Amino acid sequence: LHSFPTRRSSDLWVEWLEAPNPYEAPLPAPFEDQTTRFSKLILVRALRDEQGLKAVNQFVRHEFGSALAEAQAGTMDEIYNDLDNSTPCIFILSKGSDPTGMLFKLAKQKEYSDRLQLVSLGQGQGPVAEALVEKGTKSGDWVLLQNCMLAKSWMHNLEVMCFNLGENKGKNHKDFRLFLTSSPAPYFPVAVLQNGVKMTNEPPKGIRANLLRSYQNLVKADEFDTCSKSDAFKRILSALCFFHGNILERRKFGPLGWNIRYAFDESDLETSINVMRRFLDEQETIPWDALRFITGHINYGGRVTDDWDRRCLLTILSIYFDEAIMVKENNEYKPHAFSKSGLYHPATVGPLEEHTSYFSSLPQVDEPEIFGMHENANITFNRAESSTLMSAILALQPRSASGGGGKSADEIVIDVINDAEARIPSILDEDDKGETTFVIQANGLLTSLDTVLQQEMVKFNRLLGTMTLSLYELRRAIGGQAIMSSDLDDMYVGLMNNALPPIWEKVSFATMKTLGSWMKDFLNRVEFMRTWLVQGLPVAFPLPVFFFPQGFMTGTLQTFARKYMVAIDTLAYKYDICGFDIPPEAPEDGVLCSGMMLEGARWDRELELVVPSDLGEMYTPLPIVHFIPCVDHVIPPTRYACPVYKTAERKGVLSTTGMSTNFVVAVELPTAVDPDTWVLAGVAALLNLTD
């Protein structure tokens, strides 16, 4: 990296950084000739982390061959050839795909459809399964035990049963076969996994693959033209399948797509198709409102537990269930696109073959525009994939470092302990309060914001106490003066891997940062709280400093309610964007809040509007926002209700209010385009970035 200082070398490095495939692109001279492929892999990880997974794949392909770099597609015929009357086949289930359908096809092919015995495991089904297996070993029937993960207490019996099959191999009927299905579970018997044949069937990737699979599995050729409104059925059917594929594929973008990863499956689509067919047969006109309600709120919406995800789901559905797809001009249906590119549109009203032919012509890799997202969504997805891979690699690392003259693991952890202990501040003490803090009012109570400060101090002091004690105990455990408990052992691993120790995370504020970034963030928060305690209310409040920003929001509303004697349950916030400079004085009513970062879009300082992001710019700061309490305020439909979350994960636990614990408030932002544009893009404000 010594070549960066010169202008020419800087330009060469920028050219390399902007390359679509930096791992294969040559480094600026003389580094290309001096750098190994593995060193280049580290460079890509450090400077272009969204390309990390692709670079690892290329490294493996070059060093070990394509066989290990590509997923090998197995067939049931190959699996069957590896089985015998004592070796079980374990189908590993994954979301969006069930490989047992392949087994039923194999059974039909081998003329075993009538001799495939199955039971879904659960409470009380263990003895039934054992009886089927015992009968099958004598009769030669196949036995399928579904959902083994639901029978945790029966797993030991399964292990013994599979062991006995191996011991009695010569006595078992030669045609007997045992099949198991299970989601990944830590209690599944290791011996069964080691001695069995494993198979998984990944769900189809891409809208094109989803459309073809939906038609293949759910649309019957002999029923395709039987609906009384044949044209409407075919057009709306294709739109419904597009909708199904869209909401499935949005999951790959993580929180940018859905706050919670929902298990939408083919049963939702099948039910929606059947309801749609019945509505078209029984109604004189197309009941669009009923179709939207049944499909959006019930068939699919029944799975959705987050209100902002529900808003997104209904917005997506409105694109596909649009009356415009049935508008004719000169006896031909008017062109109607589901995205700006025009590639995606309703299928024709011709035969089934025309539908599948059109779907086959679609791109195999979807651009973000079909989801209404910015190109940055792909960068977010790739970074998340790369981060998951790196986390798995770190988890597999041995604790003891090998020789080579470096520090031992214990020495590294002791250094981290020394650094942390030197930086931990003293607790927040109420005795240090300033003249304007914790002053008793005429009604005998503290102000609402003073109460918020008290609650925050309790949380910070608890975290400070936990940190101080755990660091002391871990130092003693490393020195052999105390027992290394499971909590301390997890803490040891966390400090080694620059991760927040679980024992701290339990009493910490919501965060997704690494340990080093978390410590810096923690010290800034404590410093702000100490300044508030000593100097009184600040002019503006950085929202990210709070353990519980929702409590701060409520405290501000309560202050307004007491001042003007109005019911607090009639109050809501309206918002005024104030710019980036903190004013000299606090507002008369409400509070000024800063520190929010916009994801999925950016704030234009000149236009003072939400606008699309710049390529590669994942987060942009929002200006200071004036939160103004107002009676019965409703967000205008021309403004975007932007949800604010504590972390980029966005999901949380449902609280007693029905809202996620990660959700703070919805800030209304001015926009020059339809607010639904930002709903589809997954635009939200975050208080704490991942790192």
Side-chain angles (χ1 to χ4, degrees), residues 396-423:
L396 294 172
Q397 292 303 299
R399 176 172 302 181
S400 299
S402 60
K407 290 184 177 181
S408 68
D410 285 353
E411 289 173 333
I412 294 173
V413 173
I414 288 294
D415 285 347
V416 176
I417 292 174
N418 291 337
D419 178 67
E421 287 181 335
R423 298 169 68 187

Side-chain angles (χ1 to χ4, degrees), residues 214-221 223-224 233 237 241 273 352:
S214 296
Y215 267 64
Q216 178 183 353
N217 294 348
L218 301 178
V219 180
K220 299 177 182 177
E223 298 178 359
F224 193 61
F233 174 76
L237 172 65
C241 291
I273 292 174
L352 181 60

Side-chain angles (χ1 to χ4, degrees), residues 67-319:
L68 293 178
E70 299 174 358
Q72 301 298 315
T75 65
M76 278 305 302
D77 288 331
E78 295 172 342
I79 296 295
Y80 182 77
N81 292 334
D82 290 335
L83 298 177
D84 57 31
N85 59 4
S86 64
T87 304
C89 175
I90 303 118
F91 291 113
I92 301 172
L93 304 176
S94 57
K95 285 186 178 180
S97 178
D98 185 358
T100 52
M102 300 171 68
L103 174 61
F104 296 142
K105 291 182 180 178
L106 177 68
K108 185 176 182 180
Q109 176 186 334
K110 300 289 185 181
E111 298 182 352
Y112 252 78
S113 297
D114 298 333
R115 299 181 62 187
L116 175 59
Q117 312 299 327
L118 59 90
V119 60
S120 182
L121 291 175
Q123 187 173 7
Q125 295 302 305
V128 177
E130 292 173 12
L132 282 179
V133 171
E134 184 178 356
K135 180 182 177 183
T137 57
K138 298 175 181 177
S139 65
D141 288 353
W142 293 359
V143 177
L144 170 62
L145 306 184
Q146 294 180 301
N147 303 320
C148 292
M149 68 284 184
L150 302 179
K152 182 178 180 179
S153 61
W154 188 72
M155 287 297 96
H156 175 69
N157 300 59
L158 174 64
E159 185 173 7
V160 172
M161 185 175 69
C162 291
F163 175 78
N164 291 335
L165 287 177
E167 291 293 301
N168 300 322
K169 182 176 180 179
K171 300 179 182 179
N172 298 337
H173 195 289
K174 63 181 180 63
D175 294 329
F176 168 72
R177 298 292 184 270
L178 175 62
F179 301 91
L180 312 172
T181 73
S182 178
S183 297
Y187 48 81
F188 193 90
V190 175
V192 178
L193 283 174
Q194 291 175 336
N195 297 319
V197 176
K198 280 77 67 179
M199 183 178 184
T200 187
N201 185 21
E202 290 295 323
K205 293 184 178 181
I207 289 181
R208 173 181 178 271
N210 272 287
L211 288 167
L212 291 171
R213 189 181 74 158
S214 296
Y215 267 64
Q216 178 183 353
N217 294 348
L218 301 178
V219 180
K220 299 177 182 177
D222 56 347
E223 298 178 359
F224 193 61
D225 289 301
T226 58
C227 181
S228 61
K229 298 181 182 66
S230 179
D231 285 8
F233 174 76
K234 293 176 182 178
R235 300 276 286 184
I236 299 175
L237 172 65
S238 65
L240 182 57
C241 291
F242 266 113
F243 165 73
H244 181 76
N246 187 310
I247 63 174
L248 287 182
E249 287 301 302
R250 279 184 73 93
R251 296 185 300 193
K252 75 177 184 180
F253 298 110
L256 207 60
W258 300 109
N259 291 349
I260 299 171
R261 187 180 173 90
Y262 300 102
F264 299 119
D265 58 33
E266 282 189 348
S267 65
D268 303 320
L269 177 59
E270 184 177 16
T271 302
S272 299
I273 292 174
N274 292 336
V275 170
M276 185 251 306
R277 178 188 285 272
R278 177 173 294 182
F279 275 4
L280 293 179
D281 282 337
E282 296 178 356
Q283 302 289 328
E284 293 183 3
T285 58
I286 302 173
W288 288 106
D289 290 339
L291 283 173
R292 293 189 192 101
F293 185 86
I294 294 294
T295 306
H297 287 277
I298 299 177
N299 294 343
Y300 286 91
R303 296 185 184 273
V304 179
T305 56
D306 186 285
D307 284 345
W308 301 103
D309 282 342
R310 186 180 302 276
R311 179 182 71 167
C312 182
L313 180 80
L314 296 176
T315 302
I316 296 170
L317 183 63
S318 67
I319 296 173

Side-chain angles (χ1 to χ4, degrees), residues 450-462:
D450 276 347
T451 302
V452 171
L453 175 58
Q454 271 188 335
Q455 294 169 345
E456 291 291 319
M457 286 172 58
V458 169
K459 294 181 175 68
F460 276 107
N461 286 340
R462 180 173 56 186

Side-chain angles (χ1 to χ4, degrees), residues 42-62:
I42 296 174
L43 196 61
V44 171
R45 167 61 181 164
L47 301 179
R48 288 287 302 276
D49 58 337
E50 77 277 5
Q51 293 285 333
L53 194 64
K54 185 177 180 181
V56 168
N57 184 277
Q58 291 168 331
F59 174 80
V60 171
R61 186 185 303 276
H62 181 271

Side-chain angles (χ1 to χ4, degrees), residues 414-645:
I414 288 294
D415 285 347
V416 176
I417 292 174
N418 291 337
D419 178 67
E421 287 181 335
R423 298 169 68 187
I424 291 179
S426 59
I427 65 169
L428 298 166
D429 192 342
E430 286 194 26
D431 292 339
D432 297 333
K433 66 179 182 178
E435 295 181 358
T436 59
T437 310
F438 300 142
V439 177
I440 302 299
Q441 306 299 299
N443 56 8
L445 302 172
L446 294 174
T447 65
S448 297
L449 292 184
D450 276 347
T451 302
V452 171
L453 175 58
Q454 271 188 335
Q455 294 169 345
E456 291 291 319
M457 286 172 58
V458 169
K459 294 181 175 68
F460 276 107
N461 286 340
R462 180 173 56 186
L463 176 54
L464 284 165
T466 299
M467 292 172 65
T468 303
L469 179 61
S470 60
L471 288 169
Y472 171 74
E473 291 293 337
L474 181 58
R475 183 193 296 276
R476 294 183 68 234
I478 292 173
Q481 299 171 314
I483 297 174
M484 182 72 78
S485 66
S486 60
D487 284 342
L488 293 179
D489 185 66
D490 291 340
M491 181 177 176
Y492 184 103
V493 175
L495 297 185
M496 270 290 295
N497 294 334
N498 192 29
L500 186 63
I503 193 173
W504 295 3
E505 190 173 7
K506 290 178 183 177
V507 292
S508 170
F509 43 84
T511 185
M512 296 178 67
K513 295 181 180 294
T514 57
L515 179 60
S517 300
W518 178 89
M519 180 62 78
K520 182 179 179 181
D521 183 30
F522 166 69
L523 294 175
N524 289 337
R525 292 176 186 238
V526 174
E527 182 60 29
F528 174 83
M529 292 297 167
R530 199 180 304 279
T531 303
W532 182 359
L533 175 66
V534 175
Q535 299 181 8
L537 287 173
V539 174
F541 294 85
L543 273 183
V545 303
F546 291 96
F547 258 85
F548 188 55
Q550 297 94 325
F552 172 69
M553 297 287 98
T554 303
T556 304
L557 291 177
Q558 195 172 53
T559 300
F560 184 90
R562 288 177 177 177
K563 180 178 179 180
Y564 294 100
M565 302 300 290
V566 296
I568 191 172
D569 58 356
T570 65
L571 294 177
Y573 283 113
K574 65 178 181 179
Y575 305 88
D576 185 20
I577 310 298
C578 301
F580 288 90
D581 297 325
I582 298 177
E585 295 183 356
E588 180 68 23
D589 293 318
V591 289
L592 299 176
C593 295
S594 63
M596 291 173 280
M597 301 294 291
L598 203 59
E599 181 183 26
R602 67 180 177 89
W603 178 261
D604 190 297
R605 299 190 182 204
E606 295 181 0
L607 298 176
E608 295 188 340
L609 295 171
V610 179
V611 297
S613 301
D614 292 330
L615 185 62
E617 190 176 32
M618 313 309 296
Y619 308 101
T620 55
L622 270 178
I624 296 172
V625 180
H626 185 190
F627 286 58
I628 309 169
C630 183
V631 177
D632 296 330
H633 176 69
V634 178
I635 296 179
T638 55
R639 290 198 163 199
Y640 173 59
C642 177
V644 179
Y645 298 99

